[in-house]
Amino acid sequence: MKPDAPKQYPTPYIEQKVLKPVYLFLLFMMGLTGFGQMPIFKRYYIADIPGLGWTGKFYVTHYLHYLGAIILFALFAYVIVTYWGLFRRSHALSKAAYVRIFLLAAIVVTGIFRTLKNLPDVVFSPNFTMFNDISHLVFMMLLMVFGIVFSITKSGWLVPRTVRQTARGRRS
Amino acid sequence: MALLSRRAFLKTGLATAGAACASQVPLPAAAKPQSDGELATLIDIRKCVGCEACVEACREVNAAKYPEPEKPFPKMYPSRVKVADWSEEDKREVRDRLTPYNWLFIQWATVVVDGEEKEISFPRRCMHCQNPPCADLCPWGAARKLENGITLIDSDICLGGRKCQVVCPWDIPQRQTGVGLYLDLLPSFAGNGVMYKCDRCYNRIAQGELPACIEQCPEEVQTIGPRSEILAEAHRIAREEGAYIYGEKENGGTNTIYLSPVPFDTLNQAIHKGPGKPHFDPVEDQMAHADNMAKAMLIAPFAGIAAGVSRVIKAAKHADEPPEDNHEA
Ligand code: SF4
Ligand code: SF4
Ligand code: SF4
C-alpha cells in the first residue's frame, strides 16, 4: 500500500494486519481452554505456574472457551461477508484455505452440538456425545498440525488473482 | 396424593417415564426436551429413623456395579497423582460417608424442633441435578443425564479424572483407582480409575422397579414420581405442616427434593461436612453461564455480519476506480 496510491481495489489490509493476530490469539486460547476441559493442567503442574492457576479451574476455562467461541463466531461471519463482498474478485482462496475452512467448520459444528448438549433438557445418546467430543478434539489437533505445515510452506489464505494471471503470462 | 404411593408410582410414573426408556436405558434417544419426563424423589427427613436399611439395600442391589480393581495399581506420573483406594475389606465397609462402595449414607444432625432438642437423620446421595455440571463438563460423555432425570457415570467409559467431583456442587462422585478404561490407554499418564455415585437404580427403574433404597425403607421416607407432582406435594406439605424445601432451586433445580422440619441453614450448621459428606449450602445454578453464553453464540454471527456488511459498503464507496496492483497475499 503506497501512501500516495490512488483509490484502488480493496486489499485485505485490516483483515491481515489486525484480525489475523486476533484470530491466532483466539485459536491459541481456544486450544488452551479446550485442553483445559481435560483434567491435565493440574496434574502436569501447568496450573502451578504463576499466572496460569486459572487453567486448572474448570468453570473458568469453560467460561473462556464459550467466550472465545462467541468472538470467533462473530469474526468468522465478518470474514465470510468481507471476503464475498470485497476480496473475492481480487483474491482466490488457496488450497490451504479450503483445508482450514473444512477443519474449522467441523470444529464449529461439533462445538455447537456440545453446546447444545450442555443446555438443560437436551439429552444426546452417549455414543453420539463421545463421538462428537472426540471429533471436536481430533479436528482441533488436525488444525494445529496443518497450521504448522502451512506456516512452513507459507501457505496463506488468499491468492491474489492478478499474480496468477501474471504467472500465466498475459494481463489484458 | 395417590400418585406418590409406591404402587401408584409403579402404575403411572413408571408407565410413562419408565416406558420411554425401558428399552434403551442407558441409551436414550437423541436430543429432545424432556423436563416433563423427569422423575424426582421426595425425601421427607421428618420420617427417617436412621435405621440404614436404605444403605444396606443400595449396597446389596448395586454390589455388582462396584469396582474390583486390579492390583498392584499402575505407577502414576507425576508423583502428585494420588491413588484412591477403597477396595480393601475395611474400607469397603465404610458407611458414614460416600465412597465408591457406598453411594448412600445417613447423615445425622442435632437440631431443635418445636422447642425440643432432637437427633434427626436423613439419606444423602447424588441430587440428580436437572442440568448436571458433572455430565455437562465431563470431557468424554461418561457422565450423562438420562431423559428420566437420572444422572449416571458410565464405568466403562469414565477415566477417573475426577472432574465431575470437582465441578459437582456437592462433591458427590467418588474415585476408585485401578479399574476402567484408563488401564487400556496410558495408565501412568492419564486417568486414575473410575468415579462412582448413585445412579438412582436406573436399571431397576427401566424394569419398572423402584430404586432399592426407596423400596426397602420401612418408614417410606422417600417417594418418587414425575417432578412436577413431587414438587406440588412438597409444597403442600411445606405449607400445611411447616416444613422446609431443598433441591427445588438449588443448582438450577435437582430431582431430589428434601423436606426438613428445620430451615436448611440450621440443618447445614448441624451436620458433619467434609470429603464424601455433602453440605446443605444454598447453591447457585452452576451452568447458568453456559446457558446465557449459548444465547450469545446465536447472536454473535449477526454482529459479525453487520460489521462485515458495513465494511463492504464503506470500501465499495472507494472502489469506483479500476484495480491497481494487488500484491497482498
Ligand atoms: S431406610 Fe428409611 S428410615 Fe431407614 S435410614 Fe434409610 S431413609 Fe431413614
Ligand atoms: S449432585 Fe453432583 S454428581 Fe449428582 S447430578 Fe448433580 S452435579 Fe452430578
Ligand atoms: S437410588 Fe439406587 S443407587 Fe441411588 S442411593 Fe438409592 S439404592 Fe443406591
Side-chain angles (χ1 to χ4, degrees):
Chain A
M1 301 260 289
K2 285 165 257 161
D4 57 345
K7 280 182 198 170
Q8 62 170 35
Y9 226 47
T11 52
Y13 183 76
I14 314 178
E15 285 71 15
Q16 294 279 349
K17 293 284 170 329
V18 182
L19 288 189
K20 199 167 168 186
V22 170
Y23 164 74
L24 290 177
F25 172 74
L26 279 173
L27 270 200
F28 172 76
M29 288 303 283
M30 291 305 270
L32 191 66
T33 53
F35 279 113
Q37 298 309 303
M38 291 182 281
I40 50 175
F41 286 160
K42 213 173 214 151
R43 176 166 182 164
Y44 288 107
Y45 298 89
I46 311 272
D48 292 343
I49 299 170
L52 288 183
W54 59 271
T55 58
K57 299 205 170 80
F58 296 122
Y59 282 113
V60 174
T61 52
H62 192 252
Y63 185 92
L64 290 175
H65 202 72
Y66 270 46
L67 190 65
I70 292 168
I71 303 171
L72 277 176
F73 277 10
L75 193 135
F76 288 157
Y78 174 87
V79 168
I80 291 168
V81 168
T82 47
Y83 176 73
W84 273 87
L86 287 182
F87 311 121
R88 188 165 39 107
R89 274 185 294 160
S90 57
H91 294 75
L93 289 173
S94 67
K95 286 205 185 78
Y98 280 108
V99 173
R100 288 179 173 117
I101 289 168
F102 169 78
L103 291 174
L104 285 170
I107 292 169
V108 166
V109 168
T110 49
I112 289 173
F113 276 116
R114 181 70 206 199
T115 309
L116 285 175
K117 189 207 143 255
N118 288 356
L119 292 175
D121 297 342
V122 179
V123 176
F124 287 154
S125 83
N127 292 342
F128 179 75
T129 304
M130 223 189 345
F131 170 75
N132 189 66
D133 289 3
I134 292 173
S135 310
H136 193 67
L137 183 69
V138 168
F139 286 126
M140 160 70 190
M141 307 239 264
L142 285 175
L143 186 71
M144 272 167 51
V145 170
F146 277 102
I148 293 166
V149 171
F150 292 153
S151 76
I152 293 168
T153 60
K154 298 224 186 324
S155 314
W157 284 75
L158 300 180
V159 186
R161 296 197 198 265
T162 45
V163 167
R164 269 198 191 162
Q165 282 160 5
T166 319
R168 260 190 263 129
R170 263 287 58 100
R171 200 156 31 137
S172 53
Chain B
M1 196 183 262
L3 237 172
L4 296 173
S5 80
R6 292 178 187 171
R7 214 138 292 139
F9 163 72
L10 288 175
K11 265 194 253 139
T12 56
L14 285 185
T16 51
C21 50
S23 56
Q24 334 203 12
V25 167
L27 299 169
K32 235 192 286 168
Q34 275 294 339
S35 297
D36 293 348
E38 288 188 9
L39 298 174
T41 52
L42 183 67
I43 300 182
D44 192 340
I45 291 177
R46 303 169 308 163
K47 293 185 187 167
C48 178
V49 296
C51 67
E52 292 196 346
C54 51
V55 178
E56 294 312 319
C58 178
R59 296 174 64 105
E60 200 182 311
V61 305
N62 291 311
K65 300 174 191 165
Y66 289 165
E68 293 302 336
E70 293 166 23
K71 290 186 185 176
F73 298 133
K75 178 122 188 58
M76 286 183 290
Y77 299 97
S79 55
R80 68 153 58 169
V81 185
K82 293 279 175 289
V83 156
D85 185 17
W86 291 91
S87 65
E88 298 298 332
E89 274 310 308
D90 53 331
K91 288 275 196 106
R92 282 189 197 224
E93 290 308 312
V94 169
R95 278 169 171 73
D96 65 350
R97 57 163 287 176
L98 300 174
T99 79
Y101 300 87
N102 204 57
W103 301 350
L104 168 69
F105 80 104
I106 300 301
Q107 211 166 28
W108 292 85
T110 309
V111 290
V112 177
V113 186
D114 302 329
E116 204 184 311
E117 192 164 278
K118 247 178 110 176
E119 224 185 351
I120 59 172
S121 57
F122 32 91
R124 297 303 303 271
R125 53 153 169 78
C126 169
M127 300 288 288
H128 297 283
C129 304
Q130 291 198 285
N131 195 18
C134 61
D136 285 345
L137 298 179
C138 172
W140 297 112
R144 63 179 184 272
K145 186 185 158 189
L146 307 184
E147 291 177 8
N148 57 8
I150 292 175
T151 302
L152 57 79
I153 300 172
D154 191 328
S155 53
D156 292 337
I157 300 172
C158 177
L159 299 177
R162 207 173 69 92
K163 184 180 179 187
C164 51
Q165 189 195 66
V166 175
V167 299
C168 169
W170 293 275
D171 297 351
I172 299 287
Q174 300 289 320
R175 169 151 74 192
Q176 173 62 48
T177 300
V179 277
L181 188 60
Y182 90 112
L183 294 173
D184 302 328
L185 303 171
L186 295 168
S188 294
F189 301 102
N192 188 358
V194 170
M195 306 301 295
Y196 292 90
K197 71 171 192 73
C198 161
D199 58 17
R200 219 172 67 185
C201 292
Y202 73 92
N203 46 332
R204 289 172 63 90
I205 289 198
Q207 287 164 10
E209 289 174 82
L210 280 173
C213 57
I214 300 183
E215 189 177 75
Q216 292 302 319
C217 174
E219 306 294 329
E220 303 207 356
V221 166
Q222 294 194 63
T223 40
I224 183 167
R227 188 173 194 268
S228 53
E229 292 175 32
I230 287 286
L231 265 182
E233 176 68 357
H235 278 285
R236 186 193 63 75
I237 297 173
R239 208 172 40 242
E240 292 173 8
E241 299 168 33
Y244 299 86
I245 293 177
Y246 188 84
E248 178 183 10
K249 305 242 165 69
E250 279 66 25
N251 196 23
T254 76
N255 284 316
T256 303
I257 310 294
Y258 281 94
L259 267 179
S260 162
V262 295
F264 277 93
D265 55 346
T266 309
L267 198 57
N268 196 27
Q269 283 163 28
I271 54 177
H272 275 286
K273 293 168 287 246
K277 299 181 179 179
H279 56 74
F280 273 125
D281 290 343
V283 176
E284 293 284 308
D285 184 350
Q286 302 292 300
M287 294 304 292
H289 72 281
D291 304 346
N292 294 331
M293 291 174 107
K295 283 178 210 141
M297 277 183 217
L298 284 178
I299 302 165
F302 295 102
I305 290 171
V309 167
S310 89
R311 160 104 161 98
V312 171
I313 292 171
K314 240 184 245 159
K317 283 189 190 146
H318 298 284
D320 32 27
E321 292 191 21
E324 225 224 5
D325 55 331
N326 285 314
H327 44 72
E328 199 100 31

